[in-house]
Amino acid sequence: MTTSLSERLSAELSGLRDSGLLIKPRVLDGANRARMQVDGREVVNLASNNYLGFADHPRLKEKAAAYLREWGIGAGAVRTIAGTMRIHEALEEQLAAFKHTGSALVLHSGFTTNQGVLGALLKEGDLVVSDALNHASIIDGLRLTKATKKVYKHADAHDLERLLKENETDGLKLVVTDGVFSMDGDLAPLDKLIEVARKYGAVTYVDDAHGSGVMGKDGRGTVHHFGFENADDVIQVGTLSKAWGGVGGYAAGHGDLRELLINRARPYLFSTAQPPAVVGGLVAAIEEVQRDPTLMRRLWDNTLYFKAELAGLGFDTMGSVTPITPVLFGEPETAFEASRMLFEEGVFAVGLGFPTVPRGSARIRNIVTAEHTRDDLDQALAAYEKVGRKLKVAGV
């Protein structure tokens, strides 16, 4: 007997409820800030990706409003028909100059950027070797290609070399990695990975969603943090929605990359162009991070303080070296209960369990921003200490 839509929905939702994995997002009652109203309660916000405080930054809002007034609410068409405005091309030139690459193209999200770039580059007969902990958007993007796919052990350059050596091809060879891994907060060892990739004639593809605006000089990213600039054999992709405060994705690299993507990247070809207000906000974001060096200093001062204090309380932050600071709880029930208790103490930090993270490693992922004050962080730390004691978390 054919399953009805109602039966399918009910069964899937029941399974999620029974496993404790049903997501019910909390609702913000205002702009995303370091301290804000969520579900009617004032909280310290450790849940967003708003690294530099750009989501409600006055300079970005002014520029967005100016672009809205001059260019309208929407582009009106896909880029390849009648949607490419002068402001789109100016943003891409600005982004390429910022990233020190031959070209750049803006797409609609970090997720669709991976689908579009990987789909445009890879063909049958190509080889792609991907880190075991790469983001879901990379995994889904690779599923859409006919390239031969191999997975190397997380951040393991020796395993990468083994796979490149064992899988020779006459096609393109692509090594794919996150720059900053979004769940653990660790860095890809790009110095070692790029060295191995070059030894075997492979191109390195870095998804720097959580590194752009955070790592390297002026936030130029993880590739720049490791000293690889003006490298035609390195492709940088990422999102414009985290440190940059807006929405969208980008691909930056070889001078000819942009032209190929304009002609072959399906998300670019079949989606309406970015709204002018978004473009204006992004232009201002790239200007602001270079104009105000205190932004990144505050981000890293806050990050190092918060990590050190959590460690002093006995929490396991899983070796994170970036503003992404996971606190390990093990089982999802414990992580979700800790998240609920923290909220009651005025701290918004979300629990994550399988399938977002591996079984047995459920955690709360905290992100400290440049906008947090020391009082904000001390309130969060006091709440963590109280919750840790109640839940009898090891070491607390």
Side-chain angles (χ1 to χ4, degrees):
M1 185 175 182
T2 301
T3 300
S4 70
L5 175 60
S6 179
E7 289 169 334
R8 172 57 54 83
L9 295 174
S10 178
E12 291 295 320
L13 290 172
S14 294
L16 289 169
R17 287 191 197 95
D18 293 345
S19 62
L21 297 175
L22 184 68
I23 297 170
K24 291 187 177 181
R26 294 193 181 275
V27 179
L28 280 61
D29 298 311
N32 196 307
R33 302 292 302 270
R35 186 181 286 269
M36 62 185 186
Q37 293 281 330
V38 178
D39 285 343
R41 178 188 292 271
E42 183 178 293
V43 294
V44 174
N45 176 19
L46 295 176
S48 81
N49 300 310
N50 188 24
Y51 290 105
L52 301 176
F54 281 172
D56 193 42
H57 193 286
R59 288 181 184 270
L60 274 64
K61 290 194 292 185
E62 288 172 9
K63 183 82 80 169
Y67 274 48
L68 173 66
R69 287 191 295 269
E70 182 174 357
W71 295 91
I73 192 172
V78 300
R79 291 278 301 268
T80 52
I81 296 179
T84 294
M85 295 175 166
R86 192 68 61 194
I87 55 175
H88 293 114
E89 294 200 324
L91 171 61
E92 288 159 352
E93 290 170 6
Q94 179 190 25
L95 189 56
F98 178 73
K99 287 284 186 179
H100 297 170
T101 56
S103 69
L105 187 72
V106 172
L107 292 94
H108 300 82
S109 70
F111 202 105
T112 59
T113 295
N114 276 323
Q115 292 179 330
V117 179
L118 293 169
L121 278 178
L122 294 170
K123 299 180 178 181
E124 189 171 4
D126 292 341
L127 171 69
V128 57
V129 190
S130 181
D131 189 287
L133 295 187
N134 275 341
H135 191 265
S137 59
I138 292 174
I139 295 169
D140 284 4
L142 291 176
R143 284 173 176 161
L144 297 174
T145 77
K146 294 182 179 180
T148 299
K149 304 165 189 72
K150 301 293 178 180
V151 176
Y152 66 92
K153 296 175 184 176
H154 175 53
D156 189 332
H158 296 294
D159 199 44
L160 170 64
E161 180 162 18
R162 176 184 66 82
L163 289 169
L164 287 171
K165 187 183 296 185
E166 291 176 356
N167 294 274
E168 191 53 63
T169 179
D170 291 331
L172 181 71
K173 287 183 273 191
L174 195 67
V175 174
V176 183
T177 181
D178 283 5
V180 175
F181 289 88
S182 61
M183 292 297 112
D184 291 2
D186 58 330
L187 286 176
L190 289 184
D191 50 346
K192 298 174 183 176
L193 299 179
I194 291 174
E195 180 183 3
V196 171
R198 287 175 171 173
K199 180 177 177 180
Y200 292 89
V203 174
T204 304
Y205 179 106
V206 182
D207 183 335
D208 214 24
H210 286 274
S212 191
V214 174
M215 305 297 301
K217 185 180 186 305
D218 294 332
R220 285 184 168 85
T222 310
V223 171
H224 295 265
H225 171 75
F226 282 98
F228 295 99
E229 300 189 32
N230 304 303
D232 281 349
D233 61 346
V234 177
I235 295 171
Q236 301 178 56
V237 304
T239 179
L240 296 164
S241 64
K242 293 183 170 61
W244 306 114
V247 68
Y250 68 87
H254 190 288
D256 290 337
L257 179 65
R258 180 178 185 273
E259 188 171 6
L260 175 67
L261 296 178
I262 287 172
N263 286 274
R264 290 283 178 83
R266 290 170 69 83
Y268 177 91
L269 288 165
F270 296 102
S271 300
T272 296
Q274 291 274 25
V278 170
V279 176
L282 294 172
V283 166
I286 298 171
E287 291 172 348
E288 189 68 13
V289 76
Q290 296 172 89
R291 187 195 71 83
D292 184 2
T294 68
L295 287 166
M296 286 188 62
R297 284 204 297 269
R298 291 200 305 272
L299 171 65
W300 282 97
D301 286 348
N302 285 341
T303 293
L304 295 173
Y305 174 76
F306 191 65
K307 286 182 188 296
E309 293 298 311
L310 280 174
L313 291 173
F315 287 103
D316 182 354
T317 58
M318 304 179 68
S320 166
V321 294
T322 68
I324 297 170
T325 304
V327 171
L328 182 66
F329 287 92
E331 297 306 317
E333 295 84 0
T334 309
F336 297 158
E337 177 62 10
S339 175
R340 186 195 67 77
M341 293 171 68
L342 285 169
F343 192 77
E344 292 299 314
E345 296 294 327
V347 177
F348 182 31
V350 177
L352 301 170
F354 181 83
T356 306
V357 296
R359 294 185 192 276
S361 67
R363 69 201 65 176
I364 290 177
R365 186 183 69 163
N366 307 274
I367 295 182
V368 174
T369 74
E371 193 181 17
H372 283 107
T373 66
R374 190 56 55 90
D375 286 345
D376 293 333
L377 299 181
D378 285 342
Q379 179 182 332
L381 290 162
Y384 258 107
E385 182 175 19
K386 185 174 181 180
V387 169
R389 291 189 187 281
K390 284 185 177 180
L391 293 177
K392 296 182 171 58
V393 175
V396 181

